[in-house]
Amino acid sequence: MAYLELNDISKLFGKTIAVENFNLQVEKGELVSFLGPSGCGKTTTLRMVAGFELPTSGKIIMAGRDVTNQSPNQRDVGMIFQSYALFPNLTVAGNVGFGLKIAKKPAEVIKKRVAEMLELIHMPDFGSRYPYQLSGGQQQRVALARALALSPDVLLLDEPLSALDAKIRVSLRSEIRSIQQELGITAIYVTHDQEEALSISDRIVVMYNGHIEQIGSPFKVYNFPETAFVASFIGTLNAFNADIIDPKTNTIQVDHIQLVTQESLGDRKVGDKIMIAIRPERLSFSSEQKKANLINCQIENITFLGSIVRIAVKSEGTHFYMDTFNNPFLELPKVGETVEITCSQQAVIILQH
Amino acid sequence: MTWFSKFRKLPFWSWFWFLLGVLYFVLPLYATLDFSLRMERGTLSLKAYEVAFSDPQFLNTFLYSIFLAVMTIIFSIALVVPTAYWIRLRLPQARRIVEFITLMPFVVPAIILVFGLIRIYSSPFEIPFTSIVIMQPLTNFKVGTNILIIGGYTVLGLPYMYRSVDTGMRTVDVRTLTEAAQSMGANWGTIITKIILPNVRTALLSGALLTFAIVVGEVVLASFLGIPAFGPYLFLLGQHRAYEPAALAFTTFLLTWAAMGIIQMVTGGQGQAAGAH
């Protein structure tokens, strides 16, 4: 039995379906991210786990207990909010010790635990400060310490880094991940930032329009997207409608370009329509050895993006993006030049729908 | 740049309007003080103050009004804070209705309010269609009359208290703070007393100041309900004496501000609220 189970969860606001038939099992110590665009139902699902929203149907099982109808203060969850939500009238120590005080722990225990938590977030000398005296990153670290002070069953993080600047976001997400792994705490992390989700999650739940599109490890979700939405939402993607030319040899055609995929075409017949995707980084300039999936095209545009260079190419009416790693000695073709690009058979992914 | 914007940029005019405003408020106060010091002909003295303070009625009525003001403030806070909190948290659609209700004292004069109170609460409460009395008329006993006047004062102070508290709540993220506290095991009582109230402290203080000022000087409700409050005492004194009412009016002004200063000092050392920064 999983540590946290969401069984057939649905949530309606009036006639609007926010979440529908959501099923998820989270193991103890796992960090699962809910990833999706605004309005996909990820925060609503998190709020149902926290107890701030009641599911219209379905069950939530936490550490073996059915908590579906329990109020938030009866559930053993720690929550971190986008806006930090530190209590402005309390000091850092007061904030971190708030839950322990509510639980009527002895003053000595509270003091010791607060010191432990402040040590954990590398802010041992900040106990007497007020939230307004801290930066955004520091406030969010205090919020993390506050949520962890009670050793909750599940830690819930609702876009905790969205209000921070890029550099702090990267360092704080590593800190959150290392603390979560160090304490072995089960966590659910809501974000719309794919890089954030890919970098810190054990598994990602990609959501769209209240549904789960795909659940899998970051590696699997990125490299083997199951749906057109997942493929388009995570990373940059070349997606095309294709016709099946020969199911036996897995040959398909995109406009005039013939491609071979390693994925099985199953029961599909000649002339059937499918949707395929190729990641830009899986395309490269053709060399003598590579002759499969060869595409003759013209350079349209070259964009320097720091560590990578994105090249837009056109093959008659079909447009592709191709990424190549930047290096100081990189020799790139010029705009308008004709080149041959290629990709492996594994790079041609068939999307389910 | 137009002549009007040039005119507006002159610091002289800013100062002129500011000083005009100050004079408007300070001159009557100064006139009252000056008049109160001229009881003895040809010299400035504190004679009017001596006479006014020697009357035991002064202290009795003033303390009584302070008692009523404190009770009104406590009752107003108990009524307004949870209401404003709940509207902000769960019932935003009710805000317009509540705002309309809180503005009623500006429309309905105090004289109407007091007659309404007397009309309803001067008869015994009976179980409908029986003659079983469940409560004697509130106007028949002292505690009952005090309850009536505190209720009346709460209504009169409602526009100020509600507006102050609602504005205070706007400066803090009530919903998220509530959810954060709930996720740490806090119940509603703890959330209101430990999180919401301290964070709207400044707003409560301004609401309390206005309520205090209203109650201490109020005449109509106290007169018609027969309450020995400071307002009616000052009114009666003004009808028979010349200098003492001026002395008392000035003293009341100072005492009111002193009382609020004490409240500020007492509540000032408990950490800063979000809205204060």
Side-chain angles (χ1 to χ4, degrees):
Chain A
M1 194 182 197
Y3 194 68
L4 173 67
E5 287 184 43
L6 282 80
N7 297 329
D8 276 324
I9 297 291
S10 293
K11 177 71 185 175
L12 277 85
F13 292 109
K15 284 181 181 172
T16 311
I17 300 168
V19 178
E20 197 174 22
N21 299 329
F22 190 101
N23 283 289
L24 178 70
Q25 276 79 43
V26 183
E27 296 301 328
K28 191 166 171 56
E30 199 179 13
L31 191 153
V32 175
S33 290
F34 293 172
L35 175 66
S38 297
C40 71
K42 55 190 190 298
T43 297
T44 305
T45 310
L46 187 88
R47 289 173 63 79
M48 285 192 279
V49 177
F52 300 133
E53 302 285 354
L54 280 179
T56 309
S57 63
K59 267 190 176 184
I60 300 171
I61 313 287
M62 199 182 287
R65 290 179 297 135
D66 182 351
V67 297
T68 316
N69 295 309
Q70 279 187 350
S71 60
N73 58 351
Q74 291 172 319
R75 300 183 188 198
D76 205 358
V77 295
M79 180 113 177
I80 298 177
F81 300 85
Q82 185 182 341
S83 58
Y84 325 129
L86 293 182
F87 305 131
N89 57 310
L90 300 179
T91 60
V92 166
N95 268 282
V96 176
F98 183 82
L100 298 162
K101 223 171 174 181
I102 298 290
K104 294 191 165 56
K105 300 281 181 202
E108 276 308 302
V109 175
I110 296 175
K111 201 176 163 189
K112 192 167 166 250
R113 185 71 176 154
V114 167
E116 273 173 23
M117 287 296 110
L118 293 182
E119 197 69 52
L120 186 74
I121 57 164
H122 312 297
M123 291 173 69
D125 303 323
F126 284 69
S128 58
R129 294 208 193 170
Y130 281 93
Y132 74 91
Q133 295 170 315
L134 306 176
S135 69
Q138 287 171 332
Q139 287 192 50
Q140 201 55 296
R141 276 151 72 195
V142 174
L144 177 66
R146 183 179 69 174
L148 293 171
L150 276 167
S151 308
D153 286 340
V154 179
L155 179 67
L156 307 172
L157 304 102
D158 187 7
E159 307 210 22
L161 308 178
S162 301
L164 302 171
D165 62 57
K167 272 203 164 182
I168 294 177
R169 232 172 19 227
V170 172
S171 69
L172 196 53
R173 81 182 179 212
S174 313
E175 202 170 327
I176 289 174
R177 177 59 163 162
S178 71
I179 289 172
Q180 181 266 332
Q181 285 179 320
E182 188 184 326
L183 301 178
I185 195 162
T186 311
I188 295 182
Y189 192 105
V190 164
T191 181
H192 60 264
D193 183 332
Q194 40 165 305
E195 189 188 311
E196 213 167 277
L198 291 169
S199 63
I200 69 164
S201 316
D202 290 309
R203 278 191 301 156
I204 297 175
V205 178
V206 186
M207 294 179 72
Y208 182 58
N209 269 349
H211 291 92
I212 294 177
E213 289 279 321
Q214 188 174 351
I215 303 176
S217 67
F219 184 84
K220 197 177 166 205
V221 167
Y222 185 85
N223 289 310
F224 305 103
E226 286 173 1
T227 68
F229 173 77
V230 176
S232 63
F233 188 73
I234 298 178
T236 310
L237 190 85
N238 298 299
F240 308 101
N241 288 313
D243 297 315
I244 294 176
I245 301 293
D246 184 1
K248 284 180 191 160
T249 56
N250 294 341
T251 308
I252 54 172
Q253 183 162 327
V254 176
D255 295 335
H256 66 287
I257 308 161
Q258 281 206 358
L259 296 168
V260 179
T261 173
Q262 206 179 44
E263 283 192 50
S264 164
L265 293 173
D267 301 333
R268 293 179 179 99
K269 294 185 277 295
V270 177
D272 279 359
K273 303 270 184 208
I274 56 167
M275 197 169 190
I276 64 141
I278 307 169
R279 292 275 180 211
E281 66 270 22
R282 304 296 301 274
L283 289 164
S284 61
F285 291 115
S286 163
S287 61
E288 284 301 313
Q289 291 78 22
K290 286 184 178 173
K291 283 295 172 193
N293 291 341
L294 208 59
I295 307 162
N296 202 322
C297 51
Q298 199 178 25
I299 305 285
E300 276 196 310
N301 187 21
I302 298 173
T303 313
F304 180 67
L305 296 171
S307 59
I308 60 165
V309 179
R310 179 154 295 159
I311 303 160
V313 296
K314 186 176 79 175
S315 179
E316 293 190 18
T318 311
H319 298 265
F320 292 87
Y321 280 115
M322 188 182 106
D323 285 351
T324 182
F325 277 115
N326 174 37
N327 78 65
F329 311 104
L330 188 67
E331 284 182 19
L332 291 167
K334 295 199 168 45
V335 173
E337 217 173 285
T338 303
V339 291
E340 280 191 328
I341 60 168
T342 185
C343 68
S344 67
Q345 293 181 12
Q346 294 99 314
V348 182
I349 307 160
I350 296 170
L351 303 173
Q352 301 295 331
H353 49 82
Chain B
M1 194 180 277
T2 62
W3 71 268
F4 184 70
S5 56
K6 275 182 189 168
F7 168 80
R8 286 193 61 177
K9 283 205 165 194
L10 276 176
F12 167 78
W13 288 106
S14 307
W15 280 104
F16 173 78
W17 293 116
F18 173 71
L19 288 174
L20 200 69
V22 169
L23 287 176
Y24 182 79
F25 288 104
V26 172
L27 270 182
L29 205 63
Y30 171 74
T32 308
L33 173 68
D34 186 67
F35 184 71
S36 71
L37 296 174
R38 293 184 187 277
M39 192 172 181
E40 287 179 317
R41 211 164 274 190
T43 176
L44 294 177
S45 75
L46 295 170
K47 181 78 179 162
Y49 290 85
E50 273 174 42
V51 175
F53 294 159
S54 62
D55 184 357
Q57 282 277 72
F58 159 70
L59 197 62
N60 289 343
T61 55
F62 190 69
L63 288 177
Y64 204 94
S65 282
I66 288 179
F67 161 75
L68 291 176
V70 171
M71 294 308 290
T72 306
I73 288 168
I74 293 170
F75 188 66
S76 296
I77 289 172
L79 178 74
V80 168
V81 173
T83 308
Y85 171 63
W86 205 248
I87 286 169
R88 205 149 267 283
L89 195 68
R90 295 281 160 87
L91 280 173
Q93 65 273 24
R95 178 176 294 135
R96 282 175 185 276
I97 300 165
V98 174
E99 277 181 357
F100 175 75
I101 293 168
T102 60
L103 290 176
M104 287 304 275
F106 287 143
V107 183
V108 180
I111 189 80
I112 305 288
L113 174 66
V114 72
F115 274 113
L117 288 173
I118 293 168
R119 174 80 182 83
I120 292 169
Y121 295 103
S122 61
S123 330
F125 286 96
E126 292 175 355
I127 296 172
F129 311 114
T130 68
S131 50
I132 302 165
V133 175
I134 50 170
M135 197 171 77
Q136 289 302 317
L138 283 176
T139 48
N140 279 13
F141 54 105
K142 199 177 174 186
V143 175
T145 319
N146 281 338
I147 291 170
L148 272 187
I149 198 161
I150 289 167
Y153 284 160
T154 302
V155 171
L156 290 185
L158 211 52
Y160 310 102
M161 187 57 96
Y162 181 80
R163 294 265 154 183
S164 303
V165 171
D166 192 49
T167 308
M169 285 199 184
R170 234 172 260 181
T171 63
V172 279
D173 186 354
V174 169
R175 175 184 280 268
T176 316
L177 290 185
T178 301
E179 290 179 350
Q182 277 183 314
S183 70
M184 279 177 279
N187 57 30
W188 292 113
T190 311
I191 294 168
I192 289 184
T193 54
K194 297 272 164 58
I195 305 299
I196 303 302
L197 274 179
N199 284 306
V200 294
R201 187 170 49 79
T202 314
L204 281 179
L205 195 68
S206 49
L209 169 68
L210 291 163
T211 307
F212 192 92
I214 289 168
V215 173
V216 169
E218 205 283 329
V219 179
V220 179
L221 259 71
S223 299
F224 281 91
L225 287 170
I227 300 278
F230 188 67
Y233 169 71
L234 206 60
F235 180 71
L236 276 176
L237 203 67
Q239 288 184 323
H240 302 108
R241 305 281 182 89
Y243 297 96
E244 290 90 332
L248 285 181
F250 190 76
T251 310
T252 315
F253 171 80
L254 292 181
L255 285 174
T256 306
W257 280 97
M260 295 323 296
I262 291 166
I263 295 173
Q264 174 79 59
M265 277 200 311
V266 169
T267 57
Q270 297 172 357
Q272 289 293 303
H277 305 300

